[in-house]
Amino acid sequence: MADGGTWRPPRSCEDYWWEWKHCRGLRHAFHHYYAHGELPTCDRWREDYEACRAWEKGRAAAAQEALCKSERARVMENKKYAPVWRLRKSPPPDWYLPLDQDKPN
Amino acid sequence: MEQGEAGSPPPAEEKVGKEEEDDFGYRLFPERNKNPQSFLVRSLFTYHNKCQLMLRMTLETNPYAQLLLEAMKQSGCTVFNDRHFSCENCDACVGGGFDSATSQIVLCQNNIRHQSHMNRVVTHELIHAFDHCRAHVDWFKNVKHLACSEIRAANLSGDCTLMNEIARFKFGLKGHHQTCVRDRAIRSILAVRKVSRETAEKAVDEVFDACFNDLEPFGRIPHSKTDARRAFRDFQNRDRYNANL
């Protein structure tokens, strides 16, 4: 986590509001049901928005903590499966090679 | 078959216990290793110019493609239209492919007739290119790697929207997106690799959970251009996001 003095919410409060509204919409409910077989739960976005607003108003440490915890949990949810492949440290060496040099001899 | 995935063939290897040479899908892209046609023949007798125009429209206006291009640029693989895309005539059942040997996306000018189809094919192949750029993907020898990239491409490119599935006469609602992604990944593998259906299904099943939930660089499954624009915005703000976790 960044220093308390320079910390700000990971997303703007408008983004949390947008995500919450979008989550509650019919279109998103349909897409979520189509993709995952269940309806979405949107309370977390509302809680994050309220924490963001609380931090904006009074720089409440509890709000900062709650927001960080929620976002870290989101990141961990995305990392719960072991990766299938090994990530590169640099791009493929032949990405920019001219085409005729790529052809095998 | 909508998309294939091509690569230059290494020395013939055993894939399923037989001494059968795998063409790695090259038969679907007969112009891959040929000299290009003359400008006049290409302009007058093929859909080459239309393909180029639609491609340019996609790259300049489609939010899915723009996010992928930006993500690839950040990963060190800037995409150049004239180097990394090629409009060619292909086999009848293919929309496009990613040739990892030449780092090129092949677009089938004889099969892509509408802008919406071009958008989807470009997005699909850019996802393969993005995976190639960010990871050591063994396209030729590891079916699981191929399966993973195909799952991601089918999941994130809009291949499996309800409307697209209905147009294919495939009907379903609850969780049908995952059924579609699985089926299309298996079909793609079978189109470009000489493996049995059981091998393809096993590979897809083994990596499905990990790869269906790998949403890079979108961070969400984009069900519309609005979702894709929001994903692009989140991508542009990722430094702030990561710094304040």
Side-chain angles (χ1 to χ4, degrees):
Chain A
M1 198 156 72
D3 298 332
T6 54
W7 188 88
R8 53 180 180 151
R11 305 174 210 248
S12 70
C13 294
E14 288 76 24
D15 284 351
Y16 286 114
W17 172 259
W18 187 93
E19 294 288 354
W20 181 37
K21 281 209 73 177
H22 178 255
C23 183
R24 288 187 313 160
L26 203 56
R27 192 182 278 263
H28 177 260
F30 165 78
H31 283 306
H32 198 276
Y33 185 76
Y34 178 69
H36 302 286
E38 56 186 22
L39 292 174
T41 48
C42 305
D43 289 337
R44 230 165 110 195
W45 287 117
R46 179 180 52 80
E47 287 160 11
D48 290 344
Y49 171 69
E50 286 169 357
C52 187
R53 278 283 178 236
W55 184 85
E56 270 191 350
K57 276 190 189 148
R59 296 293 190 266
Q64 176 179 344
E65 186 60 38
L67 208 41
C68 280
K69 195 173 160 188
S70 177
E71 289 289 5
R72 276 187 223 136
R74 273 200 187 98
V75 171
M76 291 316 294
E77 276 163 28
N78 287 337
K79 288 186 181 171
K80 74 179 172 191
Y81 298 100
V84 172
W85 42 50
R86 194 169 41 94
L87 292 179
R88 289 182 191 264
K89 292 193 169 55
S90 58
D94 55 355
W95 182 257
Y96 296 108
L97 278 182
L99 281 168
D100 50 9
Q101 288 187 24
D102 278 347
K103 289 203 168 122
N105 294 326
Chain B
M1 181 57 226
E2 179 124 341
Q3 277 94 354
E5 204 260 335
S8 73
E13 290 184 292
E14 278 193 27
K15 286 280 177 210
V16 282
K18 294 181 188 173
E19 285 295 333
E20 227 177 277
E21 255 192 62
D22 194 337
D23 66 7
F24 298 103
Y26 261 145
R27 73 192 181 285
L28 301 170
F29 305 94
E31 291 188 6
R32 273 280 77 195
N33 287 327
K34 275 193 201 161
N35 289 329
Q37 295 165 314
S38 72
F39 173 77
L40 211 56
V41 166
R42 216 169 53 182
S43 298
L44 293 177
F45 300 110
T46 71
Y47 289 104
H48 188 81
N49 291 347
K50 183 178 176 186
C51 176
Q52 293 283 9
L53 280 170
M54 288 201 291
L55 169 63
R56 208 166 137 190
M57 177 72 93
T58 297
L59 297 180
E60 287 176 6
T61 65
N62 184 263
Y64 291 76
Q66 286 177 328
L67 169 49
L68 283 157
L69 291 173
E70 182 63 28
M72 289 183 70
K73 189 174 167 187
Q74 297 297 329
S75 299
C77 298
T78 307
V79 172
F80 295 102
N81 191 334
D82 47 0
R83 166 63 180 86
H84 296 109
F85 285 96
S86 176
C87 284
E88 299 173 6
N89 287 328
C90 314
D91 190 71
C93 51
V94 181
F98 174 62
D99 186 353
S100 55
T102 54
S103 305
Q104 262 197 329
I105 288 171
V106 181
L107 300 169
C108 298
Q109 61 197 21
N110 54 323
N111 296 332
I112 303 174
R113 297 296 170 89
H114 303 290
Q115 186 65 53
S116 58
H117 191 192
M118 175 63 82
N119 292 344
R120 211 155 31 85
V121 173
V122 168
T123 303
H124 183 111
E125 303 307 333
L126 276 173
I127 289 169
H128 290 319
F130 176 66
D131 288 340
H132 181 65
C133 177
R134 67 171 178 141
H136 291 279
V137 182
D138 188 351
W139 298 102
F140 304 119
K141 296 181 199 151
N142 194 327
V143 184
K144 283 193 202 172
H145 284 195
L146 176 59
C148 190
S149 194
E150 291 294 352
I151 287 167
R152 280 176 31 80
N155 184 21
L156 300 170
S157 64
D159 278 348
C160 285
T161 61
L162 181 66
M163 288 298 122
N164 282 337
E165 279 289 90
I166 288 174
R168 296 177 194 125
F169 301 105
K170 302 246 169 90
F171 303 102
L173 195 57
K174 181 177 176 176
H176 183 73
H177 180 83
Q178 294 186 35
T179 310
C180 169
V181 165
R182 184 180 177 276
D183 289 346
R184 291 188 71 75
I186 291 167
R187 287 181 70 203
S188 291
I189 293 169
L190 292 174
V192 299
R193 293 291 179 271
K194 272 194 166 55
V195 296
S196 66
R197 177 163 267 273
E198 288 73 30
T199 305
E201 285 177 354
K202 185 165 175 270
V204 166
D205 288 339
E206 281 175 5
V207 301
F208 190 83
D209 284 338
C211 301
F212 186 79
N213 290 291
D214 179 358
L215 304 174
E216 291 294 314
F218 292 90
R220 65 183 77 213
I221 299 176
H223 294 286
S224 64
K225 285 183 182 171
T226 307
D227 285 353
R229 277 187 213 104
R230 181 52 60 153
F232 194 9
R233 188 188 148 100
D234 289 345
F235 182 82
Q236 287 169 323
N237 292 335
R238 73 197 177 289
D239 287 338
R240 169 179 171 169
Y241 185 81
N242 291 326
N244 291 292
L245 278 182

